[in-house]
Amino acid sequence: IINRRLKQTPNALSLLCQLGTIYVRNAEDVNAFAIWERAILLDSTSEVTYSIVSNSMMEVRLFERAIETYKRGRRACNKDKLYITDLAFLFGSTMNYNEATTEYLKLVRENPAQLGFVQSSMASYTNRAEGLKAATEAVEQTAKEEEENLSMSQLLAWLYMEGKRYDSAFDV
């Protein structure tokens, strides 16, 4: 059905992404990747293109591919702050807590009012020892480099409290 519709509208991004998803579900990954590449090439400078293709990849749990596609979109659009929350979520889902925290720190730098959102998002992995450790180390380093950034200090104090390091939190 999708191939028939693609004959009528060969440049339909959503149809191409659906077809890629179907190929993965049928264990035809090579075809899926070719279709998704074709979808990206329709408009390789559009933020939306990379977002739709990445979401299609996430739908079939190809998280690492989705991460690479988002990063590719950042480079193609020349915007380092693009897809911050998407990448942070994916890094957290793949247990790359350091990278997830790095993305969340970008968001806090960009908009300190997002601190509450960042804390609640980071809580999805700071409840694990390795997640808390990675997040704390990343934020400690950033807070040391950006001493004047109150949001980083607040985030660090929160992480210390999450780790029941109340003396350290009080010092911050």
Side-chain angles (χ1 to χ4, degrees):
I1 295 171
I2 291 176
N3 279 324
R4 228 178 310 135
R5 289 189 60 204
L6 278 170
K7 285 181 183 171
Q8 297 167 348
T9 53
N11 294 336
L13 180 63
S14 62
L15 288 176
L16 289 169
C17 288
Q18 286 176 352
L19 185 58
T21 301
I22 290 168
Y23 278 137
V24 169
R25 289 187 176 138
N26 286 327
E28 298 179 42
D29 292 3
V30 173
N31 289 336
F33 300 140
I35 289 292
W36 284 325
E37 183 62 26
R38 178 176 153 198
I40 289 171
L41 294 176
L42 290 176
D43 189 356
S44 62
T45 59
S46 170
E47 298 171 16
V48 174
T49 298
Y50 293 97
S51 185
I52 291 172
V53 173
S54 293
N55 284 327
S56 182
M57 292 171 175
M58 288 170 41
E59 185 180 331
V60 289
R61 306 188 57 79
L62 294 174
F63 299 133
E64 295 295 334
R65 285 282 185 156
I67 288 169
E68 289 308 313
T69 301
Y70 278 129
K71 286 180 175 181
R72 181 178 170 187
R74 271 186 178 171
R75 288 188 304 273
C77 299
N78 199 26
K79 293 182 180 178
D80 188 49
K81 295 178 179 105
L82 195 59
Y83 313 122
I84 289 175
T85 54
D86 298 304
L87 280 166
F89 170 78
L90 284 168
F91 283 129
S93 297
T94 58
M95 295 189 288
N96 188 340
Y97 305 124
N98 187 49
E99 289 293 326
T101 303
T102 299
E103 291 298 320
Y104 285 127
L105 291 176
K106 287 180 188 177
L107 184 59
V108 171
R109 273 189 210 100
E110 186 69 20
N111 185 355
Q114 292 293 319
L115 183 61
F117 168 76
V118 166
Q119 288 172 328
S120 65
S121 298
M122 288 175 68
S124 69
Y125 61 85
T126 58
N127 59 0
R128 297 178 188 93
E130 64 275 12
L132 181 62
K133 181 179 186 290
T136 302
E137 288 172 357
V139 176
E140 281 174 338
Q141 180 64 35
T142 302
K144 189 185 304 180
E145 293 168 1
E146 302 176 24
E147 291 179 7
E148 74 290 343
N149 190 332
L150 182 60
S151 296
M152 294 303 165
S153 297
Q154 289 176 302
L155 186 57
L156 182 58
W158 174 77
L159 285 167
Y160 285 150
M161 288 189 291
E162 289 288 296
K164 300 182 181 4
R165 296 170 56 187
Y166 301 113
D167 290 344
S168 297
F170 181 76
D171 290 342
V172 171

